[in-house]
Each structure stands twice: as C-alpha cells, then as structure tokens.
Amino acid sequence: MTTLPKARNDGLLTEEVDDELVVYDRETQRAHRLNRTARLVWHGCDGQTTVGDLATRLQDELELATADEDIVWLTLRKLERADLLEASRMPTPGVNGVSRRQLVHRLGLVGGLAALLPVVQTMRVPTPAMAQSVPVEEPPKHKKKPRKKRKERKDKDDKRGDRRDHRDDDDD
Amino acid sequence: VSASLGSWRRAADAERVDGVTPASVGAPSGSLDTLDWTGSLSLVSHGARIGVRVNEPAVLERLTPYLPPGSSPAPSPQVNDLYSLWVGNGEPHRLYRGSATLAQTYDLEAVFEALESALSFNVAVAARRGLFVHAGAVGWRGRAIVVPGRSMSGKTSLVAALARAGAAYYSDEYAIFDERGRLHPFPGRLSMRNGHGASAEKRSPEELGLRVGSEPLPVALVAVTDWQRGARWRPRTLSPGQAMLALLDNTVPAQLRPKLALTTLGRVVEGSVALRGKRGEAEEVAASLLEHPATDNHHQREGD
C-alpha cells in the first residue's frame, strides 16, 4: 500500500473559493488554482493516507463509477510539478503515467463530468510594475507546420499525457 | 496645502508589509535636495503619504486636476515618497521620484500627465486602505461591473460605453476593493484613444458628461476581455477560482500583500459572476453586460 506524500505548507497562503482552492506560493511568487479534485487530493496528502484510501474517498466525494488510483496519481504529478508537495516524500507511482484522455475513457467522464479531472492552473503573480504594464504580445506565428494524421496526433497526445495540463491551462 | 521646503521628512521607519519592503519607499533624492525648491504640497490618499515639490510655486495650482482622485492635503509634511518637478524655463522640464528621473521633456503638459500616472500608481502600491486592482469599474443597479485589464486592453472604452449607457462611473484605471470585497470609487480622468493603439487623451468624467458613483458596491460582474478587431462578444463563464486568478493577475500589490489580496479577491468573486471573451465594439458589450441577469438587484441605488 503506497502512502501519499505530505502536502507542502511552508510559504503557502490559501483561499477557498467555492469548491476550488487558490494557493499562493510566496517562495516562487506563483499562484495555483486547484479544482475540486485537485483540492481533495492535496488536502488528502497527509503522509499517512494510502493512495487506495484516497481513491475510494474520491469515488464517494465525486460520485465516480469506480475507485481509480490513477486519478490520484495524475493529480499527484500535477501537484508535484506545481511544487505543492514535500519533495522528499513523493512516492514512486505504482503504474505508468496515465493521461487525461485515458482517464476520461476509463471513468466515463464525458460532457460536464470532464470537469472532475484534476486541474492545477498556475500563473506568475505580477510585480506592481507588471500589473501596470502593457502585456507582452506573443510573437507572430511563422509558417504553419503540415497537419499530422489524426492517429499520429492521438498517439502523441496519449504519450504526452498530462504534460499539457500543467501549462497555465484555462480550458477546463 | 503647501509646506515649507525645510519641513520635508521622509518616513524613516518605512513600514514593512508582509515581510517585504514596499516599492513605495522612494530612494533618497540626494543632490536634488540642494536645488532651489520654492513650493510644495503633501497629500494623503488611501493612507499613502506623498509629497510634491516644485521650483515655481505657480505650477502647484495647475497640478490639482492631476492629483489622485479623492486625495486630500496631508496633515503632516512627513511623506513616504517625494516627487520633484523642475520647470525648465528654456531647458527641458524634469520630473523625479526620489532621485530617479521619470520624465524629461519640453512639454510641460506631458510632465503633468507623467506625474498624474506616477502618483496614482504610487497610491495603488502604497495604499494602507483597500486593494488596488488594475481595472475599470462602474456601478449599475446597486452593484458593480468590473473590467480588469492592463493598459491598452481597451477597458477605458468599455467603461465609457457603460457609463454613457447609464451606469455610474467608478474607475478607469484602478478598482479599489475593501475587505468585504466591495468596490470603492477612484474616478480619475479617462484615457480616451482615437482608435486602438493611438495616443491617449485624458478627459475628466465631468467633461465627458459621466455621472460619478460614490457608494461602495458589491460586485455583480467581472468581465475579462480584450478588444479584437471584428470579434463578437461570446463570453464563457469563469469559475470563481479562474476569476480570482484573473483579478490577481491585475492586482498591483499582489506580491507585497498576498494575504490581503487573496482574502479580498475571495470576497469579490464569491458573490459575482465572471465572464471571459474577446470583444469588438464597446457598445455591444456594454449593452450585454448591463442586461446580464447577475446585475439584477432589488436594492437599486447607483445607476437607477
């Protein structure tokens, strides 16, 4: 039975907003938005609860079809990348990385239920001068790359797994 | 409001906020102190204490429209920040904050406008009361509509359109929120641009015929939007957490007072609806926002 790591507390400020959690990291000057699933997992990271126990808890809280440990692992990876876990306590995943797409299929999270997938949205908190300034525009896009075949794109997406999710996503 | 030059004091015990020395503590003005300053004023705005000194007393009278809205003469000449405006008399006019040069030009009006921006920004950073968020804001049916965004995002044209449609003008540049998440007025002059990307011309709300709100208001709507040529306003609703990040991204003292920022913005988003989307013409969006169900309120006050 794999034990969950401990959630990091030092240097963090938190604010609950509805069923989400906004975490301010004073060490990195970044803010993170944890959706309901990510918040539940982060709060469950006490260094004692097992991954299986938390999966069962998530099943109850989120009314999922099954207690799936991979949704816990997926969330842990996101929390770890956001530096919201105590680094030395991150356990080795019991399974290979699972992607959002795979979880969507396995848990039947279609339509609005996709919002139950874990989201950790990260942004850099502006300095006073940054908050005042004109935002930097993205550089112009260059020549379009040829479109890949759908199968190739899907395979690549599956391999990338949740890497896409850690960017400053705002699309859930 | 003028104080004698000899009475200037910079607050020696610069207050530390959340463990960080605020940017409001200006650098010593050094050799500038040896120049012949003949007029000065000190003001307080939202707890921020600021001084301005000039080498021509007549200039002080012309500064009034450029001072932060709602500011008042300070009872003490002790200030946290000191601005020095040197009228060139044939040489370039110069504006300093501490010893740092902010502007140097033959255009005195441009120096005044640079001072206006610097003073408002100074207040936004150093305010001891209220949280300043870079946003335009209006009052409508007893609640507020807030448009966060940085310069050139088109918020002024949207705020002006909302005000022309009957809303009460609260802010063009900074929305101020109290600890309950209510909006307070900071009705500065509006930076009107003739076309996107054109240089701005500042106009007072009175010149534009806008009605200015005064009552603190709970927030009904947060509209996160950028102007884009030809875009249609088809916003999506943000979750409270997404709305909070959008506001935090425009919060001036976010790094200086993160705890205040989180708790205050939490109050702002808990009772409001947040929308995000590209927009085209301001009038279309203004009408849509004013008709949004979130702005319905039984307690009608401002903008009735």
Side-chain angles (χ1 to χ4, degrees), chain A residues 13-15 17-18 20 22 24 26 29 31 33 121 123 125-135 170 172, chain B residues 18 121 125 134 150-151 174 236 239-242 244-245 248-249 251-252 254-255 258-259 262-263 267 276:
Chain A
L13 299 168
T14 61
E15 181 73 17
V17 281
D18 203 3
E20 299 174 291
V22 173
Y24 189 108
R26 297 177 67 166
Q29 301 296 353
R33 175 180 69 91
Q121 180 187 355
M123 63 163 258
V125 177
T127 63
M130 285 163 65
Q132 172 83 352
S133 65
V134 179
D170 197 17
D172 59 313
Chain B
D18 281 2
F121 179 60
V125 173
H134 213 63
R150 302 181 190 176
S151 300
Y174 300 110
R236 64 188 179 88
S239 72
Q242 289 171 320
M244 194 155 160
L245 289 198
L248 192 63
D249 194 34
T251 298
V252 178
Q255 286 199 13
K259 192 171 182 180
L262 285 192
T263 54
R267 301 295 87 73
R276 166 172 274 162

Side-chain angles (χ1 to χ4, degrees), chain B residues 24 48 50 81-83 97 117-127 174:
Chain B
S24 63
I50 300 171
D81 282 281
L82 176 58
Y83 292 80
R97 174 173 174 259
S117 294
L119 291 177
S120 289
F121 179 60
N122 200 143
V123 172
V125 173
Y174 300 110

Side-chain angles (χ1 to χ4, degrees), chain A residues 42-54:
Chain A
W42 194 62
H43 281 323
C45 288
D46 56 6
Q48 296 178 343
T49 303
T50 66
V51 172
D53 288 343
L54 186 57

Side-chain angles (χ1 to χ4, degrees), chain A residues 8-13 23-30:
Chain A
R8 190 182 135 219
N9 285 314
D10 288 349
L12 301 182
L13 299 168
V23 181
Y24 189 108
D25 189 337
R26 297 177 67 166
E27 292 181 6
T28 63
Q29 301 296 353
R30 289 178 186 272

Side-chain angles (χ1 to χ4, degrees), chain B residues 170-186:
Chain B
Y170 269 69
S171 164
D172 171 43
E173 194 75 6
Y174 300 110
I176 309 173
F177 299 110
D178 64 22
E179 69 279 2
R180 292 164 57 185
R182 297 180 307 172
L183 174 77
H184 288 251
F186 195 71

